[in-house]
Amino acid sequence: MPSRIPKIELPEPFLAHVAGYQWSRDSLGQSQSSNYLLKHAERPMLVLKIEAGSPFAELPDEAVRLDWLASQGVACPTVLARLFGSETNWLLLQAIEGTDLASTTLSPAQQIAILAGALKRLHALDEADCPFDHGIDKRIIIARARTRAGLIDESDFDEARLGRTAADLLLELETRVPPERRRVVTHGDACLPNIIEKNGRFAGFIDCSRLGVADPYQDLALACRSIAHNLGEEWVSPFLKLYGIDRDEPQRRDFYCLLDEFF
């Protein structure tokens, strides 16, 4: 690959950071941004994220959350450069060394142990110190706004909800709100691709734009869905036990998976 991508004119503050790097498009996962992996034989890997500026843009949220998470001593990408505007948002990160849990060769038992341990550590942070509220009420307000703006991809719903409309799901969401029994610092999208391991140990969180204080099932629900998809349903119960859940709440998990259809 060439050391630069034609047709991408980087902002001036980014140029020195990326000089000499080889670029490739990152196709793993789903995101509103265009993501590029930048590799160099003698320097750390970088990740460049580019998205259109809009009221629903996520990169400004990701940058400030990564700053906060790093201040808490939790491993995550380092923000090297950022530029947010009305037309385009740019975010350059130093990547975490390691492999995401959706791509690793570790055994399922090792993967769920890393995931459970990582979430327990994150959820143990003092929620009073976290300035980001991702509770149900706030998230439903955003879900309504995204639905009105026509941003919901109805073709990407979970299999059980395919064929339904966003408006229909929003009505169901609003009538199924469970009480938040406990609030912790959550990742917001705690699926296997967003957890990095190195040498069989947790190495850090990525894609943290939805980090905030919420019910722990915000993370547990999406983690269980990811485990069932990537490893098999039989690993869900062992994961929950490793996390410390003795009595699962399938309806609560399903609600947070329903909520995730809007993001």
Side-chain angles (χ1 to χ4, degrees):
M1 294 290 294
S3 61
R4 62 184 180 86
I5 291 290
K7 300 182 180 179
I8 294 182
E9 297 184 9
L10 287 172
E12 183 66 29
F14 289 65
L15 296 177
H17 291 291
V18 305
Y21 275 84
Q22 293 188 325
W23 295 50
S24 63
R25 187 73 178 262
D26 181 14
S27 58
L28 180 66
Q30 297 178 343
S31 174
Q32 297 181 44
S33 61
S34 297
N35 299 338
Y36 298 90
L37 304 180
L38 285 65
K39 298 181 180 180
H40 192 289
E42 300 175 352
R43 301 176 193 170
M45 187 172 78
L46 309 181
V47 177
L48 175 66
K49 299 187 175 188
I50 308 169
E51 70 175 357
S54 83
F56 301 100
E58 292 193 335
L59 294 187
D61 288 341
E62 181 168 10
V64 69
R65 282 158 176 76
L66 289 174
D67 290 340
W68 181 83
L69 197 57
S71 76
Q72 303 302 303
V74 179
C76 61
T78 301
V79 178
L80 298 179
R82 70 192 88 188
L83 184 63
F84 308 130
S86 59
E87 294 187 0
T88 308
N89 292 327
W90 308 79
L91 183 62
L92 183 66
L93 308 173
Q94 180 173 315
I96 300 171
E97 291 187 10
T99 306
D100 70 86
L101 289 183
S103 305
T104 185
T105 58
L106 295 177
S107 69
Q110 290 173 299
Q111 292 180 55
I112 65 169
I114 291 170
L115 179 56
L119 292 181
K120 285 175 69 174
R121 179 182 176 186
L122 182 65
H123 294 175
L125 295 177
D126 188 349
E127 55 90 10
D129 292 336
C130 181
F132 314 114
D133 179 12
H134 271 207
I136 293 175
D137 291 343
K138 182 173 181 179
R139 298 279 278 170
I140 288 180
I141 290 172
I142 299 172
R144 290 190 192 114
R146 288 176 58 82
T147 301
R148 287 195 299 266
L151 297 178
I152 311 304
D153 183 359
E154 296 174 346
S155 68
D156 192 45
F157 287 162
D158 291 344
E159 184 175 354
R161 287 181 270 270
L162 279 176
R164 298 176 63 185
T165 67
D168 182 30
L169 290 191
L170 181 62
L171 180 61
E172 179 183 349
L173 184 74
E174 293 170 332
T175 59
R176 289 185 54 189
V177 178
E180 289 184 309
R181 297 175 184 167
R182 186 164 69 98
R183 285 168 59 85
V184 300
V185 178
T186 65
H187 178 278
D189 190 12
C191 54
L192 293 176
N194 290 337
I195 313 297
I196 306 298
E197 65 84 15
K198 184 178 181 182
N199 299 326
R201 296 178 179 272
F202 171 70
F205 294 103
I206 63 172
D207 290 350
C208 300
S209 64
R210 300 171 191 171
L211 181 142
V213 178
D215 188 298
Y217 266 85
Q218 167 65 56
D219 282 347
L220 296 177
L222 303 193
C224 288
R225 183 181 64 184
S226 184
I227 289 169
H229 175 74
N230 289 278
L231 306 178
E233 184 70 35
E234 67 271 20
W235 290 101
V236 169
S237 180
F239 161 74
L240 290 171
K241 289 181 179 178
L242 284 172
Y243 175 84
I245 299 293
D246 294 323
R247 183 177 178 182
D248 186 19
E249 297 183 71
Q251 291 300 315
R252 187 176 292 264
R253 282 203 279 129
D254 186 64
F255 171 83
Y256 281 98
C257 288
L258 172 61
L259 177 61
D260 191 59
E261 301 283 24
F262 296 88
F263 295 92

